[in-house]
Each structure stands twice: as C-alpha cells, then as structure tokens.
Amino acid sequence: MDAFVISIGSELLTGHTINTNASWLASQLNMAGIGIREVRAIPDKLEDITAALNDAGKKASLVLVTGGLGPTNDDITMNALCSYTGSGLVVDQKVLEDIRQFFKKRGRDPGKVNLDQAMVPEKALKVIRNPNGTAPGLWMEKNGITIIAMPGVPHEMQHMFTAVILPELIKLFPGNHIIHRHVLTQGIGESFLASRISFWENDLPPEISLAYLPSAGIVKLRLTGRGKDGKRIRDMIEEQITKLKRIIPEYIWGYDMDQMEEVAGRMLREKGLSLSTAESCTGGYLAHRITLVPGSSDYYRGSIIAYSNSLKELLLGVSPGLIENHGAVSGKVAEAMASGARKRLGTDFSVGITGIAGPGGGTAGKPAGTTWIAVEGPGVIASERFIFGDNRERNIIRTANAALMMLIRAIRDQG
Amino acid sequence: MDAFVISIGSELLTGHTINTNASWLASQLNMAGIGIREVRAIPDKLEDITAALNDAGKKASLVLVTGGLGPTNDDITMNALCSYTGSGLVVDQKVLEDIRQFFKKRGRDPGKVNLDQAMVPEKALKVIRNPNGTAPGLWMEKNGITIIAMPGVPHEMQHMFTAVILPELIKLFPGNHIIHRHVLTQGIGESFLASRISFWENDLPPEISLAYLPSAGIVKLRLTGRGKDGKRIRDMIEEQITKLKRIIPEYIWGYDMDQMEEVAGRMLREKGLSLSTAESCTGGYLAHRITLVPGSSDYYRGSIIAYSNSLKELLLGVSPGLIENHGAVSGKVAEAMASGARKRLGTDFSVGITGIAGPGGGTAGKPAGTTWIAVEGPGVIASERFIFGDNRERNIIRTANAALMMLIRAIRDQG
C-alpha cells in the first residue's frame, strides 16, 4: 500500500513556502504503516495537476492532494478534480450551512466567492467538513485509486486528516504495526546524552530503533518499534523506557506530545500551587509559553516584563545597589526579580530571568547569550547561569526551556 | 527558461526531513529569473531516479538534483546519472586530493568508501569541488538538457550552488526576469480583500500575476512580474502597487520581508517615542513579538501581564467598578489597562488587551475568541472588538497582529 502526495501551489515553487504539509503527511502515513512513493510540488495549473494525478494513479493506490481549494481565482484544484473524474459540481447543503455559520460566528456576511466553496464534485464519495475554514475536503475514486483532496492551510489540513481521513485509511488498509514513543529530555546535549546512554542503546532489541531529535536545549528520544504483534512491541518499548528512566531521571521531563509548560502546569494544579514570572531578556516569551496552555489561569497569575533597569526597580523592587554591584545580568538580580514578582503578585512560585538576548549588547565578561535564571518557591531559591549563542530567537527559546526545567525540578522537589 | 528540482532521499518520504533544500533552491533560482516547473521528492531507487530525469527533461531545460551522492550503499545518484547519460566512471584527481585533505585536516584516514567518492562520470562537463564535505557536485548534459547534481547536506549544497553553480547559470541564461514584490495587509479577510480589489486585479497587465497568501489575520499579496526587461517589469509592478495603495491604504502595513513588530518599532524609533503593553489573554505574546526585534529596548519599556482581575486592579489600577459594570472583557477595561500601563511604565504609547483566548471560558454574549484591544497615545485612545475562533494559539497570534496594526495606525496618525 503506497501513497503519492501532490502539493499544489505556486508559492511552493518560488521558495516562499516550505512544503511542511508533505512531511507532516508523510510522518502520519508512515506511523499508520503506509509508505510514500513520491512527493510532487506543482503550480496551480490545470495541465500540471492532471498530469500529476495520472502519474500518481500509475504509481500508488492512494493519492493525497493539498492546496488550491481556496476561494480566489488562483485556486483551481476543484476544477481539476472535476475534469479528471468527469464530474459536475453540485451544492453540498451541509458545507453551505458550515460556511454560513463560519461567517455568522465572526459577525460577517459571506460573499459569493465564499458560498461558492459549497460547490463540490457530484462524484465525491465523501465531502469532508472543515471546522477551521471554508474549503471542504474531498474523498474521490477513479479506476480503483483513492484520491483525497485537502486545503493547503496547515491547521485546516491537519485537523481534517487526523479527525476524519486517517481513521478511515487505517480501517481500509490495516497491516504492519509501527509504534513510536518519545522520551523528552532537557539540559543535556545530544552527544553527551548519546554517550551517557550508549550501553542502553547498544542493548536495544532489533525490533526497536532509536533516533535523537534535538531542538533548543531539548532532545527528544524517539523509540520506534516494528512488528506484527502490536501489544508485544508496545510492551517491549515500555520496558526499555523503564530502564532509561533509571539512567537519566534528572533530564527527563515528559513523554510523547507533552510540552514543558503543560507538565509544569499539571504539577502546579495537582499540588494547588500558583505561579508568576518576571522577565527581562525573554521579553514575555516564558509567559506566552505558560499561557498557551488552556486553563492556565487556574495557576498562573501574571508577569512583570521589566526591560529597563529602572522598571526592574520600580515594578519588582530590585534594589539599585544590587544592579550596581552585580550588574543587571547576575544571579543576585535574577533572584531579586523572582522574589519581587512572588511577593507583589502573591504566588507560591516565581521565576526571574535576566540576560543578554543578543546579537548585540554583550561584553567580554558577559557575552551575548549570557542568562541568569532564578526560581523561588516555598523554602527554596535557586539560580543558575547559562551561556547560549548569539542568535536572539534561539536564545529566547532556550532560556524559556531551561527556566521551565528548573521550575519542574523545583515543584517536583516540593514532594 | 524553466527548472525542475529532483530531491532524492528516503528520509524526505518518511517525514523525518523537511525538504528545505527545494525551497532554498527555488528562492535562489527565482531571484535569478529562473522559474521552477516542479519539485519532485523520490526515494533512492534507480527506476524512480531515471523516470524523474526523463520527465524533467520533457518539462524543463535545467534539472537540479540533490541528494544520494554520499558514500554509503543507499546512495545511488551517481550510478543513476551514469546509466542515464551512458557514461562510465573515472577518477577525478582533484577530488581525490580534496578527500585526502579533508580527512587529513581531521586527523583521520579516509576509507575505501570515501576515496571511491572521487569516481565521477567521464561525461561530466564539470566536476564541482566540495570544500565542506567529500561528495563532489556534477554538471552534465543530455539532449541539450543541463543536469546539475549536488549533495543533499544543506550547507554543502548551498555553498556549491552559491559559489559555483549560480554564477554559471546567470551567464548561461541571461535575460528572463522574474520579479516578486509583496504587499502586506492586515485586518481584511482574503475573500473580502479579493472583492475589494477585484477591479484592480482584473486590470493587471498580462506580465504580472497575483497570489493571496493568508495567515492569522494577515494577507500577503504577492505580485509576480515576468519579462525580458527587468527594469520595465520592476516599474510596472511599482505602478500597480501605487494604485493598490490608493484603494486599501488602511490595510497595508508593510512590504516584502517586513514584520509588523519591526515596522512599528521603526516608526517609534524614528519619532523618538516609547511603548509599553498590558496583556491579559495574549499572556505575553505581544511583548514577545515586540522584543524579538534586536534593539527593541531602545523604545520598548516592558509589560504587565495581568491574568487575574485582582492583578488588573493591583498592577494596572483598573477600577473594580469598571470590571463589575462592563466585565473584564470590555472596551472600557482594555482602555483602562492601556492607560494604566502607560502611566505606570511612563511611555508615550501603550496597548491594552483583554479577551477570552479559548477554547473554554466563553459565554453566549462573549464567545471564546472575543477580544478587546485598546491603544493609548499622546491625545489619542482607541479601542476595538474582535471575534476570532476557538483555537487558542491562533487567537493569540491574531490578537497580537490586530494589536500591532492598531498601534501602527495610531503612530502613523501622530504625523
């Protein structure tokens, strides 16, 4: 069972958009045991779409198409599918109603171009509704080949695929089990981690393979098991994870789709504890990460972002002497920021961050990327220095990850 | 003059690697006036590579191949090119010496598999040396079609392309120009924008095409011009942009690679004005966006993130009566937040945001996604209500974009 991915959109051929849809679909299909034969990115042109559909049907039994379903003139995928399958267009009443509701919810009237998106090929076996946008997905067939078309907007496509298409595909094409599990670590580099766990890695059974996926201070360890017996493979992976937890307990903070801010939030909620933050160089990014979690207002109170020294004094009560004697980027100031936020915002825990995000602003003694992070909680205050690189955005992300790890450890230690 | 990109590597078809090489090459070629006809990602299999080369030769006069030139058994691009061009292998002495030096520098001996990388097709017109790795690039020809093969490791490929290949291509294929310009809008949906500018769009000269690239409340309008005379095309595009600016001045905030936070920052710096923010539902994301810009501390002072009502009162001085009478999510409270931050942080401008990020927390009168944004500046206070969807992350991004647009307008109006 092979699949063929057709990515439609001129923006993919000008370099303006990276084709992340194709790789996302590839990884999803792979996990379901469906291999990809080819990925083809083509412009919104009828003859190219038709040629790609023809070739795809010769090479694979499943064809996934993304893009070109929007309301504007440059979107012609729907027409191409009609002409390819010899189908006319009909109005889908459910989609029409979805579009009306979509606009109603936003307090606006749909235009004709939007309502026209309810026109779908009459030969479509299934019209896939789109709760995140106005373009529906299509499930069609020609000469025994399954053709599925989805919008190119990533979150619309992903939701449609996960909620409707993948479950149907798994029913249609059952078979080999590929099971992935992720162990999430922070604070140890890929190569150090590899040598630390090499004994365990070399001992993995042949059914299980390991990959290191590093990003911004986090290394994800992906264990992939393959075999006919799903339960056996799953148990084998669990056994290996149990062993791994004994080797590097201090670096593991979560599993699979966990996010650090979710893990910290769950721990705070379970223990009935509250949190505030005081940020300088991360400029609100830590607060943003924490508040991305739905329901975070249950434990998170807020943050004071003091970009200037005078605001560190005014809003957080950091004493001018401290800044003068130790510098704004110092352990003492990070601790005073955490302490000030904790007191003023009245929370159990608080995190203080001060540093030089870069690329400018560094000195010989304190290069760009130097960051101090402090965590204060009931009976505990800890601060740590990190020296990252000179890429501003990466420094901000790495700092937030390091801060969340310190916070997770501190809450964990509360028992 | 069209190009065809063939990306070779099984990792591209399992989702483990995103095909950034193709988009990088596409943008480089586009800037040189060479359009991309198709991008095809295929596995390291002889029949797939041969079929792709055949198809490519029918569709384009330039074929760029990346990947599959490494030293291991799964790398078969070199063999495929030999069989496709009917060429035998010969040792390239310069490449052999490069490989020896590469290993010597690293204090290691090359193995036979590495030295074998000096074997290149005898029919290669040019062997492109690789200062960053051991796999050389190849420049070949068959039936008047130019075929260029490069390693798949991005930095090796990019260096080779920029230093050797691109300058040669520009010499070989002068003339045709493809010029892109982007007009960046915010606050009007794709379909409304399309109908608003349809008269202008339908009137575009045949040399210029238009694409709508929407994301999170922002729609990028990409104008692409093609022709022999670069200056003429550039002037034609500028003329169209001038017309467009007259039709939708209120929605345009920037051009090409501009970011909203950069545009706002530039305006503040030029006018010597300062900024602070007060956020609730966006939880620091607006502050994060603003502080992503290097040097933002020149005009940005900080933010107060007041997630709870009591902190809105305590930290921003919002009166309890206001929250009681109008609700925490209201224009009055957004204005009081902006006003409070402006006073306490002592800045010229301040933005206040209060809303329901969702997916929970909505009511019948105020569904999830309801957001009030206020901007206060010298002699001006404005507030506006937005109703987004129930996707938390998207709501946060859309809110920040809407807030930055209101801020840009307010600073602009300062004259």
Side-chain angles (χ1 to χ4, degrees), chain A residues 16 23 36-41 48 108-109 114 155 222 283 287-288 291-292 301-303 305 307 311 392, chain B residues 13 16 18 37-41 48 182 191-192 283 287-288 291-292 301-303 305 307 311 392 394:
Chain A
H16 288 110
S23 52
I36 307 269
R37 187 59 203 282
E38 184 173 319
V39 173
R40 198 179 283 196
D48 286 303
R108 303 165 72 172
D109 283 323
N114 301 113
H155 79 279
R222 186 183 64 220
H288 165 56
T291 57
L292 266 179
R301 298 289 172 268
S303 184
I305 299 168
Y307 228 50
L311 286 184
R392 188 177 183 89
Chain B
L13 302 171
H16 288 112
I18 295 173
R37 188 61 205 280
E38 181 173 321
V39 172
R40 197 180 284 196
D48 285 303
H182 294 81
S191 57
F192 293 94
H288 166 55
T291 57
L292 264 179
R301 298 288 173 267
S303 184
I305 300 168
Y307 229 51
L311 285 185
R392 186 178 186 88
R394 277 177 61 82

Side-chain angles (χ1 to χ4, degrees), chain B residues 30-31 33 175-181 204-209 223-242:
Chain B
N30 255 269
M31 280 188 269
N176 219 352
H177 291 266
I178 302 182
I179 293 155
H180 296 287
R181 284 274 278 147
L204 284 173
E207 291 90 339
I208 297 179
S209 63
L223 289 97
T224 304
R226 282 160 221 269
K228 292 277 167 215
D229 183 348
K231 165 137 189 8
R232 185 175 150 260
I233 295 293
R234 204 163 281 127
D235 289 346
M236 284 173 84
I237 293 178
E238 286 316 308
E239 195 186 314
Q240 293 304 324
I241 291 177
T242 305

